[in-house]
Amino acid sequence: MNRIFATLIAIVVALPAWAEIEIEEVTSPGGITAWLVEDHSIPFTALELRFRGGTSLDEPGKRGAIYLMSGLIEEGAGDMDARTYARELESLAASFRYNASDDSVSISAQFLTENRGEVIDLLRTTIHEPRFDEDAVERVKAQILSGLRSDQTDPNDIAGRNFAQMAYGDHPYGSEGKGTIESVSALSRDDVVTAYDNVFAKDRLYVGAVGDITPDELGALLDTLLADLPEAGKPIPGRADVDIPGGVSVVEFDTPQSVALFGHAGIDRDDPDFFAAFVLNHILGGGGFESRLMQEVREKRGLTYGVATYLVPKDLASVYLGSVSSANDRIAEAVEVIRDQWARAATEGVTQKELDDAKTYLTGAYPLRFDGNGPIAGIMVGMQMENLPIDYIATRNDKVNAVTLDEVNRVASELLDPQGLHFTVVGKPEGLETTN
């Protein structure tokens, strides 16, 4: 059975209706905890491993080491070099994916039941015996450096870097997790090994499994795969001191269209008002063509093809962000309209119809996330990392529907800060200058 067929299985496999998804907490004989959705309708399983900390665990002066390390995990393990390793994975019709973000490093595995034992042996070797060969280090470094050079000419990346530096300062969130050209160029194999040691430990591990596997089988698998990990990794940094002064920062860049990233302090995921803020954001700028900002900035004035806002509750800081792009001679008007709509929502609130429409969309769209074993495994791990209850999937829409008009308008008045909005504008905007 080839890898293409396995990929097709990963795409088409579907569990029962999302509301019927039953999550069971499994603890292995060795004490490793995981969440499991058991389904034997097809001989296929998705396994998600996530380690809290992510690129925020980079050593001082070694920015990009964890991102580089995550790209090297699949470049050979044990007695297999990169080519041999790739052939072995292909022969098992399995899929491994690796990702590093600000707050986590994840390993996603998908495999057929008939190959489970061999796949887990390979994954164990991957996690415990990565080679980090010098030639692989230089090859992956070159790939990352190529991407970083490209980012230097992307207005969206420029805006993101400048806004993050302003908002988070010296905290790891204040710099790009992929590193800089200078920092990545200087990274050595020893730095990659240190990054590996910082990340892979039991004290930051979260596991989700979905598919053709029983609790007992999963428990044995977890001990085989993870029992030998160290108990603790590098301590996770403290919370970021978010500092976003209201105003405008202009970054000169030769382009006919300016890009703006805007925002201010946000709201934590565990805040009692989070769901009200979540619904509010959908109405203001997160709801696509039906959002206020799209109506006012695009539909009525034709200032942009798109404008969007989004809550960003990270582990160590929360911000409320948005983005828009417009012609250099129109971006100033777009900024003015956005700030005016921010102020209107803060002072006047939203209407009952807007609230009802937002609830209908948000509750109707939620089941669409559960479209396969892999996405469900990822959702379950995210739930664990956010300290959500195991029955959250079944109760989430109830929480959305419970938001009242009074609640959402109170949160609008408390969260939205039109004077505190900061716009980082990249381009050659007419009528806008740096204010602070």
Side-chain angles (χ1 to χ4, degrees), residues 99-171:
N99 183 60
S101 67
D102 284 345
D103 292 325
S104 67
V105 171
S106 62
I107 302 176
S108 306
Q110 299 183 352
F111 47 87
L112 299 168
T113 302
E114 65 184 85
N115 295 334
R116 181 197 298 154
E118 294 170 286
V119 171
I120 294 306
D121 286 344
L122 180 61
L123 186 56
R124 174 183 165 76
T125 303
T126 302
I127 295 172
H128 291 275
E129 302 177 51
R131 289 167 63 103
F132 302 139
D133 292 333
E134 291 285 1
D135 62 333
V137 172
E138 293 307 313
R139 181 174 62 255
V140 176
K141 274 176 61 173
Q143 295 168 357
I144 294 172
L145 289 168
S146 176
L148 291 173
R149 294 187 184 98
S150 177
D151 291 346
Q152 289 186 324
T153 60
D154 185 324
N156 291 289
D157 284 307
I158 295 170
R161 289 195 300 273
N162 279 268
F163 194 98
Q165 175 60 51
M166 171 197 65
Y168 304 118
D170 292 335
H171 192 274

Side-chain angles (χ1 to χ4, degrees), residues 243-403:
D243 182 14
I244 305 176
V248 175
S249 297
V250 175
V251 181
E252 290 286 337
F253 189 77
D254 190 11
T255 176
Q257 180 168 272
S258 290
V259 168
L261 182 65
F262 57 91
H264 57 52
I267 183 169
D268 289 345
R269 182 62 182 79
D270 59 358
D271 191 294
D273 288 328
F274 180 82
F275 274 97
F278 177 63
V279 175
L280 170 67
N281 174 64
H282 182 85
I283 295 168
L284 181 57
F289 282 98
E290 300 307 313
S291 72
R292 283 190 179 185
L293 289 183
M294 280 289 275
Q295 289 295 312
E296 296 293 331
V297 182
R298 171 176 168 151
E299 297 301 314
K300 292 184 179 179
R301 296 172 176 84
L303 298 174
T304 184
Y305 284 110
V307 55
T309 61
Y310 31 94
L311 299 170
V312 187
K314 297 185 180 185
D315 283 359
L316 307 175
S318 295
V319 293
Y320 191 2
L321 298 179
S323 59
V324 66
S325 58
S326 188
N328 286 330
D329 62 350
R330 308 201 72 186
I331 188 68
E333 183 181 358
V335 168
E336 181 181 3
V337 173
I338 291 168
R339 189 175 276 122
D340 286 348
Q341 289 301 312
W342 219 261
R344 179 189 162 202
T347 57
E348 300 176 13
V350 305
T351 68
Q352 186 67 52
K353 184 179 186 309
E354 287 176 315
L355 176 59
D356 292 342
D357 289 347
K359 288 181 179 181
T360 298
Y361 178 87
L362 292 170
T363 56
Y366 187 58
L368 302 180
R369 300 183 186 181
F370 302 89
D371 60 351
N373 291 18
I376 295 170
I379 289 170
M380 288 197 302
V381 169
M383 288 166 57
Q384 294 174 64
M385 293 189 70
E386 292 172 356
N387 295 313
L388 297 174
I390 201 165
D391 66 347
Y392 174 80
I393 292 174
T395 63
R396 180 266 195 187
N397 276 357
D398 293 336
K399 292 178 172 62
V400 172
N401 283 323
V403 174

Side-chain angles (χ1 to χ4, degrees), residues 24-28 31-36 214-216 218-220 222 390:
E24 178 179 358
E25 185 170 276
V26 174
T27 301
S28 75
I32 298 171
T33 299
W35 285 8
L36 167 66
T214 67
D216 287 344
L218 178 60
L222 293 175
I390 201 165

Side-chain angles (χ1 to χ4, degrees), residues 194-271:
T194 298
Y196 168 86
D197 292 337
N198 287 346
V199 168
F200 291 104
K202 291 180 186 175
D203 66 336
R204 63 212 49 216
L205 170 66
Y206 300 83
V207 183
V210 182
D212 184 29
I213 189 168
T214 67
D216 287 344
E217 289 169 340
L218 178 60
L221 180 156
L222 293 175
D223 283 348
T224 296
L225 190 59
L226 303 166
D228 292 340
L229 284 175
E231 291 299 323
K234 181 182 178 182
I236 293 171
R239 287 187 65 85
D241 217 359
V242 177
D243 182 14
I244 305 176
V248 175
S249 297
V250 175
V251 181
E252 290 286 337
F253 189 77
D254 190 11
T255 176
Q257 180 168 272
S258 290
V259 168
L261 182 65
F262 57 91
H264 57 52
I267 183 169
D268 289 345
R269 182 62 182 79
D270 59 358
D271 191 294

Side-chain angles (χ1 to χ4, degrees), residues 26-84:
V26 174
T27 301
S28 75
I32 298 171
T33 299
W35 285 8
L36 167 66
V37 174
E38 188 176 355
D39 180 74
H40 302 286
S41 61
I42 192 166
F44 174 83
T45 301
L47 179 69
E48 182 81 9
L49 311 176
R50 202 167 296 175
F51 297 84
R52 191 188 294 275
T55 61
S56 297
L57 297 175
D58 275 334
E59 294 290 332
K62 304 296 182 180
R63 203 63 172 126
I66 288 172
Y67 186 82
L68 172 60
M69 182 272 296
S70 70
L72 283 162
I73 295 178
E74 60 183 330
E75 296 291 326
D79 60 0
M80 296 171 285
D81 62 14
R83 184 172 297 180
T84 305

